[in-house]
Amino acid sequence: MDYFKRILNGTMPETLYHYTDGQGLLGIIGKEQFWASHIRFMNDLKEEIYSLDCLEKCLTESKENVSKIMESVKTEFHKETSEKSIFVVSFSEKKDNLNQWRGYADKIPAYCIGFDYEKLKENGGFCTNVEKIIERLNKPDSSSTENPFVFLLPCIYEKNEQDSLIKEVVNDSKKKIGNDDYENLGKEIARRLIYYSPLIKHEMSKDEEEWRLIIVYEDLQTSKDEAVCNNFKNTPSKQKKDFINFRMGKSLIIPYYEFKIQKKSVKEVIIGACPDMESVKESTSYFLTKHGLKNNLLVETKNPYRNW
């Protein structure tokens, strides 16, 4: 966990960028909310596979009973990712970046929205206490007085940092379960790894400099945690309602959580390349003005990427 301590105790980026399409812009500024995707149904399922591959290599190097542990890990991992209410929003430190346009803004018009980090953190209700974040990640079955529990962390691309993190997950799981109970050891590793999996990315994606907003929402009505259940009767009625919505993705229905922000955290809106830039710029300017944002926030991309 030293990696996250170094990052969160260091100098934070002044601006984080979110790449999206026109519909996303309407929701983020018009309704002041992100549609945070459920981790089980995110765009790139290769990320899930990659984190499991990293774990398998780690177990092999330490001469563990790989097959039995991994069988349990994979079964529990898929079960947990389907049942847990964990949602993600992606950001990047890269402004007007070609790879980001290609990966996240595949419709016309596309936008790169720059957010003031401090304002986003302030009005987004993120947890910024390093020890508290790590404690929550290390105790995946514990309840929290903060619901949802929200934190923003950078993705990990360096192999040595990934290996260090996964070894720590494995060792902490062994301390709790022991070395010989392979089934329960695998389950414990999976319950911990699920929170780190969205942050572990292949080094080939390092250019993205991605950060991820992770939202852990405790389902108050179905929770098995005794403390949560005992407090359920005192919970406001709006929190007792179903908090999951659905949208249509490229090839499947995606569950999402509406995460509230404030539009005052927006400091820049970049329009991606499009066949009729002047019309798009005029209509977007009208939209921003209508929602109380200044026209000088709006700029055109300097990137030549085209997808039409």
Side-chain angles (χ1 to χ4, degrees):
M1 312 304 170
D2 290 340
Y3 175 78
F4 296 123
K5 289 181 180 179
R6 289 200 308 272
I7 294 294
L8 295 178
N9 287 326
T11 302
M12 306 305 286
E14 291 184 5
T15 309
L16 286 175
Y17 297 92
H18 179 73
Y19 290 76
T20 187
D21 57 19
Q23 195 64 44
L25 180 77
L26 295 179
I28 291 168
I29 293 178
K31 296 184 178 180
E32 295 187 295
Q33 63 183 19
F34 282 113
W35 284 8
S37 299
H38 194 289
I39 58 168
R40 183 68 183 88
F41 305 97
M42 291 177 63
N43 291 336
D44 194 353
L45 293 178
K46 292 179 182 178
E47 294 178 9
E48 176 182 313
I49 297 171
Y50 179 68
S51 64
L52 292 175
D53 285 344
C54 290
L55 171 63
E56 188 166 359
K57 289 177 183 177
C58 175
L59 293 173
T60 301
E61 291 172 0
S62 59
K63 299 180 180 180
E64 302 287 351
N65 193 319
V66 179
S67 60
K68 290 184 178 180
I69 295 176
M70 285 305 300
E71 181 181 358
S72 176
V73 167
K74 289 178 180 178
T75 300
E76 187 70 13
F77 193 91
H78 291 303
K79 175 176 174 289
E80 287 285 303
T81 52
S82 295
E83 294 181 355
K84 290 281 187 181
S85 296
I86 303 175
F87 305 88
V88 173
V89 179
S90 295
F91 295 89
S92 173
E93 291 187 48
K94 289 292 186 73
K95 172 182 177 179
D96 197 11
N97 179 260
L98 177 60
N99 288 333
Q100 292 290 333
W101 285 121
R102 286 173 173 165
Y104 293 96
D106 57 349
K107 294 180 181 179
I108 299 174
Y111 296 91
C112 170
I113 309 173
F115 291 89
D116 183 293
Y117 172 81
E118 289 299 327
K119 290 182 180 178
L120 187 65
K121 178 183 69 175
E122 179 184 346
N123 61 57
F126 306 165
C127 177
T128 56
N129 184 304
V130 182
E131 300 299 332
K132 192 172 182 180
I133 293 173
I134 292 175
E135 180 184 9
R136 177 63 189 248
L137 295 177
N138 283 339
K139 297 179 180 178
D141 294 326
S142 65
S143 59
S144 172
T145 55
E146 298 178 41
N147 193 33
F149 187 77
V150 184
F151 53 97
L152 182 64
L153 292 174
C155 290
I156 308 172
Y157 301 98
E158 298 293 340
K159 192 67 175 64
N160 62 322
E161 298 286 3
Q162 294 172 353
D163 291 343
S164 177
L165 175 62
I166 289 175
K167 286 177 182 178
E168 193 166 346
V169 167
V170 171
N171 290 334
D172 287 345
S173 299
K174 284 181 179 179
K175 289 177 184 178
K176 181 176 179 180
I177 304 299
N179 294 336
D180 301 324
D181 187 349
Y182 301 128
E183 181 178 357
N184 285 319
L185 177 59
K187 288 181 178 180
E188 182 64 23
I189 291 172
R191 283 195 288 266
R192 293 170 182 267
L193 187 62
I194 185 177
Y195 293 99
Y196 294 109
S197 180
L199 300 170
I200 298 174
K201 300 196 69 173
H202 196 280
E203 60 185 353
M204 293 295 289
S205 301
K206 187 176 180 180
D207 180 64
E208 296 175 354
E209 294 186 22
E210 189 170 355
W211 286 63
R212 285 189 164 172
L213 174 67
I214 299 179
I215 302 160
V216 182
Y217 199 108
E218 187 73 50
D219 189 340
L220 301 176
Q221 196 157 13
T222 61
S223 175
K224 297 177 182 178
D225 187 284
E226 183 178 355
V228 173
C229 292
N230 288 339
N231 289 327
F232 179 69
K233 62 183 179 181
N234 297 321
T235 302
S237 59
K238 65 179 180 179
Q239 280 189 271
K240 294 181 181 179
K241 297 179 180 178
D242 189 4
F243 52 86
I244 299 177
N245 298 286
F246 298 89
R247 64 180 177 86
M248 193 63 218
K250 291 181 181 178
S251 59
L252 74 166
I253 297 172
I254 301 176
Y256 71 91
Y257 174 77
E258 295 178 352
F259 181 72
K260 296 293 183 181
I261 61 164
Q262 292 183 25
K263 59 192 173 188
K264 66 181 180 181
S265 59
V266 174
K267 60 187 296 187
E268 187 174 20
V269 177
I270 304 170
I271 305 174
C274 56
D276 188 359
M277 177 61 77
E278 287 306 312
S279 293
V280 172
K281 189 173 182 179
E282 183 179 356
S283 65
T284 305
S285 175
Y286 186 75
F287 169 73
L288 294 180
T289 302
K290 179 72 174 178
H291 288 279
L293 296 179
K294 296 179 180 179
N295 277 334
N296 59 8
L297 297 180
L298 189 63
V299 296
E300 299 177 22
T301 181
K302 295 180 180 179
N303 206 301
Y305 173 65
R306 296 181 178 182
N307 63 343
W308 69 90

